[in-house]
Amino acid sequence: MATIIGGIGTTHVPSIGKAIAEKRNNEPYWKPFFRGFDYVHYWLAREKPDTVVVFYNDHGLNFFLDKLPTFAVGAASEYRNEDEGWGIPVSRSIAGDPALSWHLINALVADEFDITICQEMLIDHAVTIPMALMWPGQKWQGIKIVPVSINTVQHPLPSLKRCFNLGRSIGRALASYPENRRVLVVGTGGLSHQLDGKRAGFINREFDRFCMDKLAREPDLLTRYSVHDFIEEAGAQGIEFLNWMAMRGALNVHVAEVHRNYHVPISNTAAATVVLENRPDPQIRAA
Ligand code: DHB
Ligand code: FE
């Protein structure tokens, strides 16, 4: 049986890749951000995940506006990155876990999620930057991923509730996987930010704090936000929080927030890092 050890929510800003490549981690601008990953490294070394389910949004590398699935699940044995034009080095490839991918795909379709199945899939900065933050030096040998892409770009977007339920479906599917795996679920992007338009540079610290507080203890409350109301509070790209909602859905009802770092700004974003540890639920959740 696969065991879900917990979830990590993390930003995915490309300039982090540039800071890593130029070894600027200890400069005053970057230090408070990178220090927030010290605990993550300790926690990963202790918990030893072997597979990572990554909820993220593709920014035009694998999908573009002409064809953009609401939900897409990778089923490849390897995922490559390519130059996205941000001026950062192309990342090392990451191994896939096709058998687990197909198990999740079967379970999602049985649960009436009409996903796109990708036996080839390029992964962009929204996967590679969080991976590089969690495993510095790209030392992710032995780690396999299942990338799950959520459309946070081309409206209409899936609701917060729908993404939470997508995560729940994946959480149930992991619990029924017959092989042993120690699974980490990750949601990338956010928190509040807007890259263009009249509100470019928009940050909402109070709302970010509210979202992190509710994510651990009362995620149902967040599912009541419409996409448009959420964007009003978090900015047009703050809706990348949909990836965090899916991550939270895959976890148990009970989780402990064992780590939080929040730092403004990293590039145009409020950069947040949260570690949620799974706690046993008193009863098996209904489907
Ligand atoms: C930035 C933020 C993002 O979410 C992204 O995907 C790319 C760039 C930024 O703040 O620069
Ligand atoms: Fe983004």
Side-chain angles (χ1 to χ4, degrees):
M1 187 183 120
T3 304
I4 306 180
I5 57 169
I8 293 182
T10 165
T11 180
H12 64 215
V13 178
S15 60
I16 296 165
K18 207 165 160 63
I20 292 172
E22 294 172 358
K23 299 187 168 46
R24 301 167 80 137
N25 306 34
N26 281 316
E27 289 184 4
Y29 180 90
W30 290 103
K31 196 170 176 176
F33 169 73
F34 280 104
R35 286 303 301 272
F37 276 83
D38 291 350
Y39 182 86
V40 174
H41 301 150
Y42 156 79
W43 188 79
L44 290 173
R46 195 186 75 195
E47 295 297 325
K48 297 186 177 47
D50 43 50
T51 300
V52 188
V53 176
V54 190
F55 297 101
Y56 74 107
N57 56 293
D58 183 88
H59 300 71
L61 182 67
N62 191 73
F63 304 115
F64 201 59
L65 300 181
D66 59 336
K67 301 179 198 73
L68 219 171
T70 301
F71 301 123
V73 182
S77 54
E78 188 180 52
Y79 300 94
R80 276 191 313 105
N81 176 226
E82 277 182 4
D83 187 356
E84 295 174 66
W86 296 102
I88 59 176
V90 171
S91 165
R92 195 177 283 170
S93 296
I94 309 178
D97 192 342
L100 179 61
S101 286
W102 283 108
H103 176 77
L104 300 184
I105 288 163
N106 277 300
L108 283 166
V109 174
D111 261 357
E112 300 178 355
F113 283 94
D114 303 319
I115 52 167
T116 298
I117 303 163
C118 300
Q119 298 194 64
E120 271 185 38
M121 199 177 195
L122 291 171
I123 44 164
D124 78 354
H125 67 271
V127 176
T128 61
I129 296 293
M131 287 295 288
L133 285 165
M134 292 186 288
W135 285 281
Q138 301 184 26
K139 289 197 176 116
W140 49 62
Q141 296 92 330
I143 305 279
K144 296 177 170 180
I145 62 166
V146 176
V148 181
S149 150
I150 296 178
N151 170 27
T152 72
V153 176
Q154 172 69 69
H155 289 256
L157 310 183
S159 67
L160 281 86
K161 186 161 186 262
R162 185 80 176 141
C163 295
F164 185 69
N165 286 338
L166 177 89
R168 288 190 71 190
S169 179
I170 286 183
R172 286 194 298 270
L174 287 168
S176 72
Y177 192 57
E179 309 280 324
N180 284 338
R181 293 279 192 288
R182 287 183 66 75
V183 180
L184 167 69
V185 284
V186 173
T188 87
L191 288 181
S192 59
H193 66 299
Q194 172 144 343
L195 299 179
D196 49 20
K198 279 198 194 120
R199 294 205 303 167
F202 177 81
I203 297 286
N204 187 343
R205 286 177 174 79
E206 207 180 315
F207 188 68
D208 288 339
R209 197 173 309 116
F210 168 80
C211 287
M212 288 186 284
D213 288 349
K214 296 303 169 199
L215 192 69
R217 286 162 176 269
E218 287 176 273
D220 285 344
L221 197 148
L222 295 169
T223 63
R224 296 184 207 151
Y225 274 84
S226 72
V227 161
H228 289 98
D229 287 347
F230 195 91
I231 285 174
E232 187 73 31
E233 298 285 354
Q237 279 72 42
I239 195 63
E240 289 178 341
F241 191 72
L242 291 178
N243 304 319
W244 290 51
M245 287 302 292
M247 173 273 282
R248 179 64 184 92
L251 302 179
N252 289 350
V253 172
H254 294 95
V255 298
E257 187 192 283
V258 293
H259 176 67
R260 178 192 293 193
N261 188 48
Y262 181 76
H263 180 71
V264 179
I266 288 298
S267 195
N268 302 289
T269 71
T273 311
V274 166
V275 180
L276 303 177
E277 218 170 72
N278 243 357
R279 293 280 187 259
D281 281 340
Q283 70 228 1
I284 304 286
R285 276 189 291 164

